Amino acid sequence: MASILVSVVGTITATYMFLYLLLHISQDTKEPPAIVTQIPFLNKYGLPIYTLRLPFSRIYIANDTELLPSIQAQWRAISFSVFTANTGEQLGMTKTSRETMERGLMDPDSFSISWPKYMQPAMVPGEDLDRMNKISIEAIASATKDLSANGTARVGLWQWTHDIIIRSTSKAVWGPQNPFEDEKVEEAWKIFEPGFLTLNIFPFASLLFPQILRARERIATAMVQYMRRDGPKSGSGLVRRLVEHHTRFGLPLEDIARSQIGIGFAVMSNTAPCALWMLYHIFSDERVLEDVRREVAKLVETRTEEGGGVETATNVVDLSALQSSCPVLLSTFQETLRVRTLSPGVRMLLEDAVVDDTYLLKKGNLLMMPAMVHHTSAPIWGPDANLFNHLRFKDNPRLGRTAFRGFGGGHVLCPGRFFARTEIMALAALLLLRFDVMPAGGNGSSLRRRIPRRSRASLFQITISRWSFDLEDQRI
Ligand code: HEM
């Protein structure tokens, strides 16, 4: 018995010593300090950048905002494109197309680095963007009109926001032949969207989770039809430019159609949770609600028309003036992104890189720039960094310029930021003007100003998905 005990203790001690030495020997002195203490692979915080040691790999965590410019400047070696390049398999693309996507990941002219830049002209302020915004706002306006026909409507906050963003965004992106108009495709998206990560993580996921693959194939079939029927011709500039780009790189029609599923993530998967949180922060705090409603109400104009001896008055709102005339609403949007973004800012080291002339990051490992850390830094945001302050950005528009990561930064700056901002602000404005919104069966004061506990979901966290709320027609 005693000898068994001795050998067990001996084995544990030897393993511990081996791991401890392994960690120390393989850690270069120029690398960010590893957060190893007495117990290997456990955590310690408070450093500008540190190394998280995992078996056979490392993750560097950049906490200090001052390091971000140096990291961003080395975007070729510290790569984001590697992740989009590797989605071909999960989207069911052919080997040849996958190889095209994975080639030359440090070359700006390669497929995976060039497509986000190629789409940009369609997403910056201009004709193409105006057209997308107009279509999405019209779709939102029509959905809120349908709701108001019922007087009071009870809806699940997350479900409703998610559905409305899928419908308005997909219409704006894919145009009159939008594949998501088909309910079955929309349902398939709701299975594939959360299932995509599962396909990435689990080996044999296609065998273990056939329903996710079936959902993907349903969307893919609809996208192929869309391409065959010349859908992009009447779609957005975004779709047209992407199709043009992918065709130049020789992707066959079927794979271009599958790449559109990937675009679905970019355009819808961050917008919907952001919209949800914007609504939550507005309608859960009377002060925010009052401030933004007062501001948005100024955009309403009453027009009277005479017909058949009867005078009718119509309230008209110019939503194109939202950005320029509603600084409080804009600030509320930015603050929502600040407190709710979960963006981990993950990058892969394709080569060794030295950050800020000090820290050596070794090829083959991951780097993270967690937005949650940068967005809650008290030296940057002040002592109330953990509180939601809807006036924060209005009072100081230049606040946290580098630290604000709501739309990424540097070479990986979100090209969809103008579209998403307008769409979400318009959704909030239309709800503010048309409805009183309150939690089902309660009153607004039961929703607190405090930021609720966090959980996982896309770039944002969703902890209130089972909430319902009553929308009461205001008939302004
Ligand atoms: C509220 C909605 C949105 C949010 C919060 C958001 C957020 C972000 C963030 C944080 C990044 C950088 C990721 C990183 O640094 O690791 C990013 C990149 C990107 N976003 Fe968005 N996004 C939104 C909507 C959109 C839309 C509507 C599009 C449609 C075009 C889009 C397309 C992209 C693309 C293509 C990239 C990669 C850019 C590149 O590789 O250069 N996003 N987005």
Side-chain angles (χ1 to χ4, degrees), residues 80 115-117 119 123 238 266-267 270-271 274 333 337 341 343 345-347 405-409 411-417 419-420 424 459-460:
F80 173 75
W115 70 258
K117 310 300 163 219
M119 67 147 91
M123 298 304 287
L238 164 66
V267 299
N270 291 324
T271 311
C274 182
F333 171 73
L337 276 171
T341 303
S343 172
V346 186
R347 303 290 184 264
R405 312 280 306 161
F407 284 119
H411 194 262
V412 189
L413 181 60
C414 174
R417 61 196 184 284
F419 172 72
I424 293 169
L459 286 185
F460 290 82

Side-chain angles (χ1 to χ4, degrees), residues 170-207:
S170 61
K171 208 170 192 167
V173 171
W174 286 286
Q177 294 195 46
N178 173 21
F180 288 89
E181 292 279 320
D182 179 345
E183 256 175 45
K184 291 201 177 106
V185 175
E186 190 184 320
E187 284 316 307
W189 174 255
K190 287 182 191 166
I191 297 171
F192 185 62
E193 186 187 36
F196 184 71
L197 202 57
T198 309
L199 289 189
N200 271 286
I201 293 172
F202 288 96
F204 313 113
S206 51
L207 296 175

